[in-house]
């Protein structure tokens, strides 16, 4: 077995303010985004501590956009644009020394992420709030980032990459196509996808984890988020068989129909492009194939004629 020298972890955090707001009210203020964000940051720092070469990226999956929280500067436009902070240099290279004697990288990661999430949530306009998050887009960004980091590696170096999705809001069947496409790309790139579900079970994430060989876990309680992250998701996928982890769940393999984006058990499949439909239609709306209608067989027709005569 080849030695893997470092590991790249991409964390996708669902920052949907609608879901977090609802749960903040329901659970007697026990579950809030910034409390969970603290746990995620401890987990991220633990990943960086595991090995010197370990790398980290964190993407916020918001209601209408995906945003790189760390490392910064991966998207064109910053979240907050203010005219007054023109004197602060934006192209600062390397971590600044920290005041409390902490490892500089941790201070940098913590500060950047907390301020970015705050501005992301405060910057959302009322008309742009939906109850789901753009997780398929975030996954595509994560895969592109992993691909770029793999290309930038020196010859002979090896890197294992994985994506952890921490998701609370419900699945949006409208994202089914894009989501499954990213899952199959991840499988092809040998990227493991893990799912840490804070809210209701997500059939899309179950399928993603099953296909890429990752771990799917629906948390019984959000209060224990840090413990679950450290025990279940910190070990690399190739050493996980040595741990006693939660048992694999029964995967809900329903597909979404292409016409209404509903999840269906039984449906019609186009024989040309394999599109799925919940009801029969003579023309495939994806590839425009016209299906021939086979009328009743000829013998039957003759018999009918005779009967009429
Ligand atoms: Zn349909
Ligand atoms: Zn078709």
């Amino acid at each position: 077995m080849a030695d893997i020298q470092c590991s790249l972890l991409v964390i996708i955090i669902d920052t949907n303010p609608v879901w977090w707001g609802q749960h903040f009210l329901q659970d007697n203020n026990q579950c809030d985004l910034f409390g969970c964000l603290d746990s995620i940051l401890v987990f991220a720092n633990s990943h960086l501590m595991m090995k010197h070469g370990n790398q980290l990226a964190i993407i916020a999956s918001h209601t209408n956009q995906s945003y790189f929280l760390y490392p910064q500067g991966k998207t064109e436009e910053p979240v907050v644009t203010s005219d007054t902070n023109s004197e602060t240099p934006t192209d600062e290279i390397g971590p600044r020394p920290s005041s409390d004697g902490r490892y500089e990288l941790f201070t940098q990661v913590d500060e950047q992420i907390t301020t970015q999430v705050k501005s992301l949530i405060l910057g959302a306009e009322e008309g742009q709030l939906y109850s789901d998050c753009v997780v398929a887009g975030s996954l595509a960004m994560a895969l592109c980032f992993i691909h770029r980091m793999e290309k930038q590696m020196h010859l002979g170096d090896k890197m294992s990459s994985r994506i952890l999705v921490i998701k609370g809001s419900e699945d949006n069947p409208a994202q089914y196509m894009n989501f499954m496409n990213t899952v199959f790309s991840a499988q092809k790139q040998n990227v493991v996808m893990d799912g840490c579900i804070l809210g209701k079970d997500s059939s899309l994430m179950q399928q993603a984890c099953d296909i890429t060989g990752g771990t799917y876990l629906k948390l019984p309680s959000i209060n224990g988020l840090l413990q679950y992250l450290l025990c279940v998701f910190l070990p690399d996928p190739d050493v996980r068989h040595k741990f006693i982890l939660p048992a694999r769940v029964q995967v809900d393999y329903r597909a979404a129909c292409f016409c209404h984006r509903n999840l269906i058990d039984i449906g019609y499949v186009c024989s040309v492009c394999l599109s799925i439909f919940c009801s029969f239609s003579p023309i495939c709306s994806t590839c425009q194939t016209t299906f021939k209608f086979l009328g009743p067989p000829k013998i039957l027709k003759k018999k009918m004629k005779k009967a009429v005569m």
Side-chain angles (χ1 to χ4, degrees), residues 270 272-275 277 284 286-289 291:
C270 169
V272 178
C273 67
L274 303 180
S275 299
F277 300 100
C284 170
T286 312
C287 66
Q288 313 303 328
T289 305
F291 298 110

Side-chain angles (χ1 to χ4, degrees), residues 256-264 276-279:
C257 70
F258 287 29
C259 38
H260 309 93
R261 313 284 175 198
N262 292 331
L263 293 176
I264 50 171
I276 303 160
F277 300 100
C278 61
S279 58

Side-chain angles (χ1 to χ4, degrees), residues 6 16 47 49 71 85 107-108 116 128 149 181 194-195 207 224 238 243 248-249 259 266-267 289 303:
C6 67
N16 183 333
H47 170 75
M49 261 194 287
N85 63 358
T107 319
Q108 191 198 11
Q116 292 292 315
Q128 296 173 331
M149 295 306 280
N181 283 339
D194 295 322
Q207 296 183 38
D238 48 342
F243 292 83
R248 286 211 158 190
V249 284
C259 38
I266 298 174
T289 305
K303 273 185 188 169

Side-chain angles (χ1 to χ4, degrees), residues 73-148:
K74 297 297 172 235
T75 45
E76 299 304 316
E77 45 175 324
V79 174
V80 176
T81 45
S82 159
D83 301 327
T84 49
N85 63 358
S86 54
E87 68 268 16
T88 51
T90 48
D91 51 349
E92 207 173 289
I93 299 163
R96 278 171 293 140
S98 77
S99 54
D100 53 358
R102 260 198 307 177
Y103 179 35
E104 290 86 354
L105 187 59
F106 292 172
T107 319
Q108 191 198 11
V109 171
D110 291 5
E111 274 180 10
Q112 258 186 31
I113 289 166
T114 320
T115 38
Q116 292 292 315
V117 170
K118 264 184 198 155
S119 55
L120 196 62
I121 287 181
L122 295 176
E125 288 166 28
E126 272 184 29
Q128 296 173 331
L129 292 179
Y130 306 99
S131 61
D132 62 322
C133 64
V134 285
V135 67
S138 310
L139 283 173
M141 274 171 86
L143 284 178
C144 292
F145 182 77
I146 289 171
H147 186 68
R148 205 188 69 184

Side-chain angles (χ1 to χ4, degrees), residues 82-270:
S82 159
D83 301 327
T84 49
N85 63 358
S86 54
E87 68 268 16
T88 51
T90 48
D91 51 349
E92 207 173 289
I93 299 163
R96 278 171 293 140
S98 77
S99 54
D100 53 358
R102 260 198 307 177
Y103 179 35
E104 290 86 354
L105 187 59
F106 292 172
T107 319
Q108 191 198 11
V109 171
D110 291 5
E111 274 180 10
Q112 258 186 31
I113 289 166
T114 320
T115 38
Q116 292 292 315
V117 170
K118 264 184 198 155
S119 55
L120 196 62
I121 287 181
L122 295 176
E125 288 166 28
E126 272 184 29
Q128 296 173 331
L129 292 179
Y130 306 99
S131 61
D132 62 322
C133 64
V134 285
V135 67
S138 310
L139 283 173
M141 274 171 86
L143 284 178
C144 292
F145 182 77
I146 289 171
H147 186 68
R148 205 188 69 184
M149 295 306 280
E150 279 174 356
K151 282 213 154 182
Q152 281 178 357
M153 274 194 326
H154 298 291
L155 202 68
D157 284 0
K158 286 217 163 53
M159 184 170 72
S160 74
S161 317
R162 60 196 168 103
I163 301 174
L164 168 65
V165 181
I166 301 173
K167 186 165 166 309
S169 56
E170 282 177 44
D171 286 344
N172 182 358
Q175 293 180 21
Y176 177 78
M177 274 285 281
N178 304 341
F179 188 90
M180 291 318 283
N181 283 339
T182 53
V183 171
F184 289 119
S185 319
Q187 188 194 28
K188 218 172 174 184
Q189 280 192 48
N190 287 324
V191 174
V192 171
M193 283 169 64
D194 295 322
C196 178
I197 306 299
L198 309 175
K200 284 181 190 158
D201 264 317
S202 153
S203 84
L204 288 182
M205 274 318 297
Q206 282 179 351
Q207 296 183 38
C209 300
D210 197 54
I211 290 168
T212 59
T215 307
Y216 173 91
L217 182 71
K218 182 191 174 297
L219 295 195
S221 135
I222 299 185
N223 292 334
L225 176 65
L226 179 60
Q227 278 83 352
Y228 283 108
L229 287 176
L230 290 178
C231 297
V232 180
F233 297 107
L234 190 59
D236 256 353
D238 48 342
V239 294
R240 279 186 196 163
H241 60 272
K242 294 180 180 165
F243 292 83
I244 300 170
L245 296 176
R248 286 211 158 190
V249 284
Q250 193 70 38
V251 180
D252 178 5
Y253 259 115
R254 281 182 306 169
C257 70
F258 287 29
C259 38
H260 309 93
R261 313 284 175 198
N262 292 331
L263 293 176
I264 50 171
D265 292 312
I266 298 174
Y268 294 86
V269 179
C270 169

